[in-house]
Amino acid sequence: METTQIDAGEFRAKQRTDWNTASQGWRDWNELIDASTGPVSKRLVELAGIRAGDRVLDVAAGYGEPSLTAAKVVGPEGSVVATDISAGMLSFGRERAAAEGVESIEFVEADASSLDFPAGSFDAALSRWGIIFEPDGEGAAGRVRGFLKPGAKMAIASWGSPERCPMLAVPMMTVMQRLNVPPPPPGTPGPLSRPTPEAIGGLLEGGGFSDVAVEELEVELEWESPELFTKYSKEIAAPIAAMVSQHPPDVQEQTWQAVTEAIGARASADGKVRLKNLALLAVGTA
């Protein structure tokens, strides 16, 4: 992946603000998100070889996934450290863990580049659509590798190419075109920044992981109407919402209406919006 042409510190600060803002949306939509993306968490845990009693690190865990999935596998004798840049997302993660009676997760506020644990602290590491937002993804992966026991695995997820990920691509491209937003500088991290097996696998390889393998998994989501899809995008897709929020209220309204119209073209005869999206899962050995 090309070196980013952005200020990493400023970028992380903006990420923190954007995801804190989006954390309420994740509370409101968590049932839909869990139902559709649960198989990705399950598969990441499998790829990382997580077993009962293991100690697991989840990088950029957001609202607590795949931390919660991993915690149920490691059981009471194991533990999970869930890290994220957003205090708001972590707060919801703590609530979810408490609601499910899971006491083995420690939630830590930190960006991926600032993590610091003793060498060999963990039996496995995970990151579901998380480390791909880090300006120095390869560097962060290298740090995580140092925290793992020799031979331990890290499993991560990214979204596929825009044409295979309409849930993100349609609103993002619509917003960028409507607001005349230029393409981001090469290497800018984001939800669609690692869209190929080479790109997501390269993140782990760049961090020094070996035997890297990548597989595909389809994620399907459904909304009752185009209007609800737009509401979902506005409330949980932090990078997209942040682009729109910089403009006057009337422009914001017109932009979100354009998103509704664009996704409406994909609605079924019953008015529902059903979208299949490609997830890429990569695993490597420390």
Side-chain angles (χ1 to χ4, degrees), residues 123-271:
D123 299 290
L126 303 165
S127 186
R128 193 186 81 167
W129 302 305
I131 199 170
I132 60 174
F133 284 90
E134 164 56 39
D136 182 16
E138 285 79 359
R143 290 182 65 83
V144 172
R145 182 173 57 84
F147 309 147
L148 295 175
K149 296 176 181 178
K153 295 180 178 180
M154 182 176 192
I156 65 178
S158 70
W159 291 109
S161 59
E163 62 270 16
R164 300 283 308 272
C165 195
M167 173 184 69
L168 291 169
V170 171
M172 184 172 291
M173 301 307 175
T174 301
V175 166
M176 292 177 69
Q177 292 170 4
R178 183 83 184 187
L179 300 177
N180 294 315
V181 176
T188 301
L192 296 172
S193 62
R194 303 276 182 167
T196 65
E198 294 76 18
I200 188 62
L203 191 155
L204 291 178
E205 291 171 345
F209 285 88
S210 61
D211 301 321
V212 173
V214 181
E215 64 182 48
E216 298 183 355
L217 187 61
E218 196 170 69
V219 177
E220 184 170 7
L221 294 90
E222 178 182 303
W223 298 264
E224 289 296 316
S225 68
E227 288 77 13
L228 278 179
F229 170 86
T230 299
K231 188 174 189 294
Y232 171 90
S233 300
K234 181 178 181 180
E235 293 177 355
I236 76 121
I240 300 173
M243 282 194 287
V244 180
S245 66
Q246 302 172 29
H247 295 269
D250 61 328
V251 175
Q252 293 186 39
E253 182 178 354
Q254 293 165 11
T255 302
W256 288 119
Q257 180 58 36
V259 171
T260 300
E261 293 171 1
I263 205 65
R266 293 173 176 255
S268 303
D270 60 5

Side-chain angles (χ1 to χ4, degrees), residues 19 23 62-63 73 89 211 215 225 241:
W19 287 108
S23 62
Y63 76 139
V73 174
M89 294 291 279
D211 301 321
E215 64 182 48
S225 68

Side-chain angles (χ1 to χ4, degrees), residues 23-150:
S23 62
Q24 181 58 51
W26 282 72
R27 291 172 185 267
D28 295 340
W29 292 96
N30 80 92
E31 291 184 8
L32 172 63
I33 297 169
D34 285 346
S36 57
T37 63
V40 176
S41 290
K42 183 176 183 292
R43 184 57 181 152
L44 288 174
V45 168
E46 293 172 350
L47 289 172
I50 295 171
R51 299 172 296 181
D54 280 353
R55 179 168 167 78
V56 179
L57 175 64
D58 186 0
V59 180
Y63 76 139
E65 279 295 348
S67 295
L68 277 163
T69 299
K72 293 168 185 176
V73 174
V74 303
E77 300 304 316
S79 62
V80 178
V81 177
T83 69
D84 198 82
I85 198 170
S86 165
M89 294 291 279
L90 288 173
S91 177
F92 183 37
R94 292 188 186 95
E95 292 176 20
R96 296 178 74 229
E100 296 194 31
V102 176
E103 300 179 350
S104 57
I105 304 178
E106 177 187 2
F107 292 88
V108 177
E109 183 180 347
D111 65 76
S113 68
S114 301
L115 299 178
D116 190 16
F117 299 97
S121 297
F122 297 95
D123 299 290
L126 303 165
S127 186
R128 193 186 81 167
W129 302 305
I131 199 170
I132 60 174
F133 284 90
E134 164 56 39
D136 182 16
E138 285 79 359
R143 290 182 65 83
V144 172
R145 182 173 57 84
F147 309 147
L148 295 175
K149 296 176 181 178

